[in-house]
Amino acid sequence: MDDPRASPEAAHAGPRSAPATPASATSGVKNGSGLPLRPGHELPFVAPSSYLRPKPPSRTMSERSPSALDRDQMQGLRGIREFLKVRTSYDVLPLSFRLVVLDNDLLIKKSLNILIQNGIVSAPLWDSRNSTFAGLLTSTDYINVIQYYCQFPDEIDQVDQFRLSSLRDIERAIGVLPLETVSVHPMRPLYEACRRMLKTRARRIPLVDVDDETGREMVVSVITQYRILKFIAVNNEKHTILLKKPVRDIGLGTYTNLATSTMNSSVLDVIHLMVKHNISAVPIVDESNKVLNVFEAVDVIPCIKGGAYDELTSSVGDALSKRAEEFPGIYTCSEDDRLDAIFDTIRRSRVHRLIVVDDDNRLRGIISLSDILKYVLLFGEEEDDIRAG
């Protein structure tokens, strides 16, 4: 911001010089009164009053100097990062939790029923033949199965016989790059798990330990981006309250090329949008672009329960009506909302993403948990590296 004070040029005539008197070859340099000047006192000279005028910072320096708001923001981000480096992934786990691990030999069709019965949307996979961790089953895997069904409709009977161990074969058949199988040790710093999630674009990561006696792997649990951000919000409020810059100012979220759909669109159409744009949710809007709901990747699971792929032609409205009663709902915010308020919402509610709307509830953008985690971990990181060096 420009300095509001008047510049010296506006208040004064600027650094003044005494009028120069032409020097003659014989008399030497003289001052205004005609008396000779001693060496080093030649004109021009600066009027003493100019030393007393405060010089405003240049525009370049003013723009580079961080404001108090900027300094608080960076202090909050650095505090969160230090917090993540001293806490472990195991710390994120609740005192009591349930873990469902699926054997790789299980039919995909049966795995759907298990997820629905247990009210979960993902599960670690286990290779019982080799006694090793085999990856993570998520809604993306079921979307890949649906794509396979669409590309090879004559093989519906074969689809029903696919086992979880066939998921990689399905990816190759439809030309999808397999997701990297990642995991972290539960006692490693939480910061490490976050960086690995961002690198692989994973929304959840399994915690895998090794038995000291047998040397075999064992899955301890799975932590999600939501669980990590909630852990920060609950245990590090002294730093999250410093994040007072609005969403608009920090460029948080996606606001261009947004994929949307309507209540009357088919589930299959929305799935194709997710695959095309590599996204996990599609806002459902009306003819005025007002947000009505959001179709998420996990909404696909009940649509194909029991192998009922024909239901994919049903409308989005019908599919959303199958959601469980405990569905947390859709969370919205405006571009003027601050990040500290978003963390407060995450602390109190189960939030998976925020839909950015204007005052008329028209869609403006989407803020994913990945966006928040990426900003918290990476914004200004180069400056921190330089400072540390």
Side-chain angles (χ1 to χ4, degrees):
M1 181 181 294
D2 294 335
D3 194 297
R5 297 171 297 183
S7 65
E9 289 77 5
H12 304 277
R16 293 171 299 212
S17 299
T21 303
S24 65
T26 57
S27 62
V29 180
K30 298 181 180 181
N31 61 15
S33 62
L35 297 176
L37 289 175
R38 289 179 294 174
H41 287 244
E42 295 86 356
L43 299 178
F45 60 87
V46 180
S49 61
S50 65
Y51 289 116
L52 305 178
R53 301 179 204 149
K55 292 185 178 181
S58 66
R59 182 181 298 272
T60 301
M61 290 300 294
S62 178
E63 290 173 350
R64 291 180 180 177
S65 299
S67 65
L69 187 63
D70 291 326
R71 290 193 295 270
D72 285 348
Q73 191 88 359
M74 284 309 305
Q75 181 183 343
L77 293 176
R78 294 188 187 107
I80 293 173
R81 291 166 192 168
E82 291 304 313
F83 171 78
L84 294 174
K85 290 175 182 178
V86 299
R87 303 303 292 266
T88 68
S89 295
Y90 189 82
D91 293 335
V92 179
L93 302 179
L95 294 177
S96 177
F97 62 90
R98 175 184 56 180
L99 178 65
V100 177
V101 180
L102 302 181
D103 193 286
N104 236 1
D105 284 333
L106 186 68
L107 288 173
I108 293 178
K109 182 177 179 179
K110 290 186 177 180
S111 71
L112 272 167
N113 296 332
I114 293 175
L115 294 187
I116 294 173
Q117 291 171 4
N118 286 275
I120 56 179
V121 296
S122 67
L125 300 179
W126 185 256
D127 185 344
S128 57
R129 297 178 183 178
N130 300 313
S131 296
T132 56
F133 168 66
L136 192 65
L137 177 68
T138 69
S139 55
T140 301
D141 294 306
Y142 295 114
I143 289 177
N144 289 340
V145 173
I146 292 171
Q147 288 189 81
Y148 184 91
Y149 165 73
C150 293
Q151 294 183 27
F152 308 100
D154 295 335
E155 300 185 17
I156 182 62
D157 294 335
Q158 181 181 351
V159 171
D160 285 340
Q161 298 305 312
F162 278 146
R163 299 183 182 276
L164 294 175
S165 56
S166 306
L167 290 173
R168 304 292 84 88
D169 296 328
I170 292 175
E171 290 171 345
R172 285 190 289 268
I174 63 176
V176 173
L177 292 176
L179 295 175
E180 183 180 349
T181 300
V182 295
S183 62
V184 294
H185 192 279
M187 300 311 294
R188 294 295 300 167
L190 184 54
Y191 184 84
E192 181 180 314
C194 295
R195 291 299 296 258
R196 191 165 297 182
M197 292 173 79
L198 290 178
K199 181 180 178 180
T200 60
R201 299 192 64 186
R203 291 185 289 274
R204 48 180 59 82
I205 189 167
L207 306 183
V208 179
D209 200 352
V210 177
D211 188 277
D212 293 335
E213 296 182 0
T214 64
R216 292 181 176 180
E217 292 181 333
M218 55 182 180
V219 182
V220 176
S221 187
V222 177
I223 56 175
T224 63
Q225 291 179 342
Y226 163 73
R227 181 62 63 182
I228 292 172
L229 291 173
K230 185 179 181 68
F231 183 70
I232 294 173
V234 171
N235 298 283
N236 205 246
E237 188 177 1
K238 67 179 181 180
H239 288 120
T240 60
I241 60 174
L242 296 176
L243 308 178
K244 296 187 180 299
K245 298 191 74 172
V247 165
R248 177 187 286 107
D249 291 356
I250 61 178
L252 193 65
T254 302
Y255 298 86
T256 59
N257 301 320
L258 297 176
T260 62
S261 191
T262 66
M263 284 291 189
N264 294 325
S265 300
S266 71
V267 172
L268 201 54
D269 288 339
V270 178
I271 291 175
H272 289 327
L273 280 176
M274 290 182 177
V275 173
K276 178 181 178 181
H277 296 277
N278 193 23
I279 54 179
S280 60
V282 175
I284 307 302
V285 299
D286 64 9
E287 61 277 2
S288 301
N289 205 38
K290 292 184 177 181
V291 177
L292 303 177
N293 214 314
V294 177
F295 189 93
E296 305 175 358
V298 295
D299 291 317
V300 171
I301 294 176
C303 292
I304 55 175
K305 179 182 178 180
Y309 295 97
D310 291 339
E311 292 193 17
L312 294 173
T313 58
S314 62
S315 70
V316 168
D318 291 339
L320 295 179
S321 66
K322 298 178 181 179
R323 281 174 169 165
E325 293 183 0
E326 61 270 19
F327 178 73
I330 305 301
Y331 288 87
T332 64
C333 70
S334 75
E335 292 180 85
D336 294 322
D337 284 326
R338 305 181 317 200
L339 190 52
D340 64 331
I342 291 178
F343 267 106
D344 186 55
T345 300
I346 292 174
R347 178 169 51 252
R348 293 182 287 103
S349 309
R350 190 173 183 83
V351 181
H352 295 292
R353 64 187 53 78
L354 291 115
I355 307 301
V356 185
V357 296
D358 62 16
D359 293 338
D360 295 319
N361 206 45
R362 290 188 176 88
L363 178 66
R364 294 286 299 155
I366 300 178
I367 299 175
S368 68
L369 298 187
S370 295
D371 294 329
I372 300 174
L373 194 61
K374 182 178 180 180
Y375 176 79
V376 167
L377 262 68
L378 302 183
F379 180 80
E381 188 183 53
E382 293 183 359
E383 295 179 6
D384 284 349
D385 291 341
I386 293 174
R387 186 178 290 103

